[in-house]
Amino acid sequence: MSSGLLVIPNTGIVNILGQKDGRVGPLKAFYRTSIKPLLPGTVTAVGDILTFTGFDPSTKLKVGQYICLETSPAKTLVYIADIDSTTIKMGSPDIDRDTGKHPSLSLTIGTATQLRPWHVRDLGDLSEEGVKITWDEKVAPTKFAGRGETDANHFSSGSEMKINLACAEMGLEELVSAIDQSALADYDANGDIASVSFTQRLGYNFKKNADSLDLFAYGENGGISTDPRDRARIWLTNFRSAFEQQRNANSQTVINLEGFVYADEKRKKDGKAVFMSINPEAAVFD
């Protein structure tokens, strides 16, 4: 077990997701934060309706997903509340905490612009159990024939990383996103989840469907820490359908997500694929 990834030396000690001198606050998790390629066609918006030209949005998008409009000077994130072959009814990307729903979003885009699917899911704050990351480098002994009973040489035979998140704010949308193709949602006319069903996903390819997970620490002021070393990105992870939920009248509901972490062959350091990066924007890859 290697713990080298978990501590960064500083004037004090900076934990991977904590503060100096060992002061550790809660953690916040974002899943499926990958940026997708631009879609064909263009869009314009009047009020809460987005109209497409040269592309049928219902072939690539669905209610409950997000899209990023390439507006200038700043991009605009939109929640898909309803969709047909030519239009999307827009919702705010943020959920109203009082109603638990996405409020209607009104925009005016006079000139056509492009868009891309935007995968981001706020898994909320983690409970006091936080995140558990296990990193295990496998070592295999090898003896060579014809050399008698000599001591075996030991070689690294691979590495394995796993993750466990204790989610304290897991809603239905977050659950559907986190447990891909196993927790399936039905949506009402307003684009809100009406029900969730759990199914088997036999033959599901975990690695092919893996996506990124970002973990942030909270700073001493109560907000998300601005120290870039208080952020970690796990480049490719996927959660399996294995969680235990217990609830009674006076307990908080916590869902523990168990995930597999895979090496990202697109990001290498010295020719070796990367599992995780601290302060990923500053990482320099081959």
Side-chain angles (χ1 to χ4, degrees), residues 104-118:
S104 178
L105 178 66
S106 181
L107 296 174
T108 298
I109 302 176
T111 57
T113 187
Q114 291 183 291
L115 79 159
R116 66 178 80 235
W118 187 273

Side-chain angles (χ1 to χ4, degrees), residues 201-222:
R201 49 179 180 183
L202 298 177
Y204 177 74
N205 189 328
F206 278 85
K207 186 172 184 180
K208 180 180 178 180
N209 290 283
D211 215 323
S212 61
L213 174 74
D214 288 278
L215 298 169
F216 291 80
Y218 281 85
E220 297 174 1
N221 61 356

Side-chain angles (χ1 to χ4, degrees), residues 108-173:
T108 298
I109 302 176
T111 57
T113 187
Q114 291 183 291
L115 79 159
R116 66 178 80 235
W118 187 273
H119 287 185
V120 59
R121 179 63 68 203
D122 183 352
L123 298 184
D125 289 355
L126 306 185
S127 75
E128 62 182 11
E129 285 82 14
V131 57
K132 178 181 180 182
I133 300 172
T134 60
W135 168 252
D136 188 10
E137 185 173 32
K138 308 294 184 181
V139 178
T142 303
K143 288 187 176 182
F144 296 98
R147 296 189 180 181
E149 293 298 322
T150 58
D151 292 337
N153 293 308
H154 288 73
F155 297 91
S156 172
S157 59
S159 299
E160 181 181 67
M161 183 180 284
K162 294 181 180 179
I163 187 170
N164 185 291
L165 296 182
C167 297
E169 298 181 343
M170 180 67 71
L172 292 179
E173 286 190 349

Side-chain angles (χ1 to χ4, degrees), residues 4 9 28 56 65-66 78 84 86 95 100 103 114 122 170 172 178 180 183 189 194-195 206 214-215 217 233 249 266:
K28 192 173 186 66
D56 180 351
Q65 292 182 332
Y66 294 82
V78 170
D84 59 29
T86 58
I95 295 176
Q114 291 183 291
D122 183 352
M170 180 67 71
L172 292 179
D180 180 44
S195 68
F206 278 85
D214 288 278
L215 298 169
R233 166 166 285 195
K266 296 180 180 178

Side-chain angles (χ1 to χ4, degrees), residues 152-248:
N153 293 308
H154 288 73
F155 297 91
S156 172
S157 59
S159 299
E160 181 181 67
M161 183 180 284
K162 294 181 180 179
I163 187 170
N164 185 291
L165 296 182
C167 297
E169 298 181 343
M170 180 67 71
L172 292 179
E173 286 190 349
E174 290 76 21
L175 190 63
V176 168
S177 176
I179 310 180
D180 180 44
Q181 299 182 32
S182 181
L184 305 180
D186 296 303
Y187 295 87
D188 62 20
N190 296 318
D192 300 311
I193 290 180
S195 68
V196 174
S197 301
F198 294 88
T199 66
Q200 294 186 76
R201 49 179 180 183
L202 298 177
Y204 177 74
N205 189 328
F206 278 85
K207 186 172 184 180
K208 180 180 178 180
N209 290 283
D211 215 323
S212 61
L213 174 74
D214 288 278
L215 298 169
F216 291 80
Y218 281 85
E220 297 174 1
N221 61 356
I224 292 179
S225 173
T226 57
D227 188 335
R229 291 171 297 182
D230 285 344
R231 176 191 173 193
R233 166 166 285 195
I234 298 173
W235 292 99
L236 290 175
T237 189
N238 207 337
F239 296 104
R240 67 191 188 100
S241 300
F243 57 86
E244 182 177 335
Q245 180 180 359
Q246 181 175 343
R247 182 175 185 175
N248 56 34

